């Protein structure tokens, strides 16, 4: 499920004065059932009333309002969560920002002649995509609360709860040009198997506390994962 699936059922109605509390959403569901055989969203296409909610959530997410408007204490909540997670949120923000800043340069240097002044506009682009086993709207809210929403466009957040991560990965492969290179990062077996099925490099990470450096079975602690390790997975 993605915001693109929801948009397919949205009739474009003006929601400026729409009564979300007063409408009847009789078919809001989690799209349970077999995956459609084609690109048609099929049973995962929500009714218009549900699609309106996805549109409104996407708007608030894109404007950075999804968390702060509902939780005036979100700043305190973020710091408490980061402390309890041993700096996981701070590390994730730093890594995602570093990837956007440094990977294009590394990729550009690997693919062509030495860079010259003004060449940055022609560097390869880097996109962060989140594939989550949670439902879509809670995932958007979580990214906003974790302050990771500036790194993930709303349409680049996909829920694999029904179709599985292999199907989501395959859709991503088909969405981007054939020249695109992918690297998957995760802590679960499902995404590892999905990446292997598509021939993508996979970096296994550990999301828990780690005081002994690299864990043999738990993967790379996310708090110490570096851009150069990601570049290495891409063969740079």
């Amino acid at each position: 499920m993605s915001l693109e699936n929801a948009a397919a059922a949205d009739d474009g109605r003006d929601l400026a004065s729409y009564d979300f509390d007063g409408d009847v959403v009789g078919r809001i569901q989690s799209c349970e059932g077999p995956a459609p055989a084609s690109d048609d969203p099929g049973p995962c296409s929500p009714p218009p009333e549900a699609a309106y909610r996805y549109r409104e959530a996407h708007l608030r997410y894109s404007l950075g309002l999804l968390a702060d408007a509902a939780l005036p204490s979100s700043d305190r909540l973020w710091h408490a969560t980061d402390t309890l997670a041993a700096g996981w949120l701070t590390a994730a923000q730093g890594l995602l920002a570093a990837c956007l800043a440094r990977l294009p340069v590394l990729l550009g240097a690997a693919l062509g002649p030495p860079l010259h002044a003004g060449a940055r506009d022609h560097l390869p682009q880097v996109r962060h995509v989140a594939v989550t086993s949670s439902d879509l709207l809670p995932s958007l809210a979580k990214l906003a609360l974790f302050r990771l929403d500036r790194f993930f466009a709303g349409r680049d957040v996909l829920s694999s709860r029904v179709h599985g991560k292999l199907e989501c990965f395959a859709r991503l492969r088909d969405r981007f040009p054939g020249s695109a290179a992918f690297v998957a990062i995760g802590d679960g077996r499902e995404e590892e198997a999905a990446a292997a099925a598509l021939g993508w490099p996979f970096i296994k990470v550990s999301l828990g506390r780690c005081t002994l450096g690299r864990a043999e079975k738990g993967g790379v602690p996310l708090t110490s994962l570096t851009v150069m390790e990601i570049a290495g997975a891409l063969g740079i």
Side-chain angles (χ1 to χ4, degrees):
M1 180 65 182
S2 69
L3 290 170
E4 291 179 345
N5 294 125
D10 193 331
D11 57 15
R13 177 174 176 173
D14 184 1
L15 302 180
S17 59
Y18 185 77
D19 182 9
F20 285 100
D21 293 329
D23 72 354
V24 177
V25 185
R27 292 197 300 131
I28 287 185
Q29 53 186 354
S30 298
C31 302
E32 301 198 359
S38 67
D39 290 335
D40 182 6
C44 271
S45 180
E49 294 85 355
Y52 299 158
R53 285 160 171 77
Y54 283 107
R55 194 208 313 171
E56 182 69 14
H58 187 198
L59 175 62
R60 296 188 184 190
Y61 178 87
S62 300
L63 295 175
L65 302 176
L66 200 57
D68 292 341
L71 293 171
S73 60
S74 61
D75 187 65
R76 186 173 70 250
L77 176 63
W78 186 92
H79 285 288
T81 303
D82 193 44
T83 299
L84 289 172
W88 185 93
L89 300 183
T90 297
Q93 287 183 343
L95 179 62
L96 291 167
C99 285
L100 291 176
R102 296 182 58 195
L103 276 181
V105 177
L106 295 170
L107 287 166
L111 295 174
L115 296 175
H116 55 81
R120 191 171 182 86
D121 292 340
H122 304 287
L123 290 175
Q125 294 184 342
V126 172
R127 288 272 291 275
H128 296 313
V129 178
V131 179
T132 170
S133 57
S134 300
D135 285 323
L136 183 58
L137 292 183
S139 297
L140 291 172
K142 183 166 65 175
L143 285 171
L145 287 169
F146 288 175
R147 298 184 179 173
L148 300 177
D149 48 328
R150 63 190 175 101
F151 299 106
F152 297 93
R155 67 188 185 92
D156 289 337
V157 181
L158 287 74
S159 170
S160 66
R161 200 181 73 80
V162 174
H163 297 294
K165 291 186 177 176
L166 178 56
E167 173 69 18
C168 288
F169 282 17
R171 292 189 180 190
L172 289 171
R173 176 198 59 194
D174 295 339
R175 181 200 292 184
F176 293 100
S179 59
F182 298 86
V183 58
I185 302 172
D187 67 333
R189 294 180 179 178
E190 185 184 3
E191 55 262 35
E192 185 173 8
L198 297 180
W200 295 359
F202 180 78
I203 298 177
K204 187 174 183 179
V205 295
S206 169
L207 301 183
R209 293 175 179 267
C210 182
T211 58
L212 300 177
R214 299 291 194 262
E216 291 184 8
K217 295 183 180 180
V220 179
L222 183 65
T223 51
S224 61
L225 182 62
T226 68
V227 174
M228 294 308 299
E229 287 172 299
I230 297 173
L234 290 167
I236 303 173

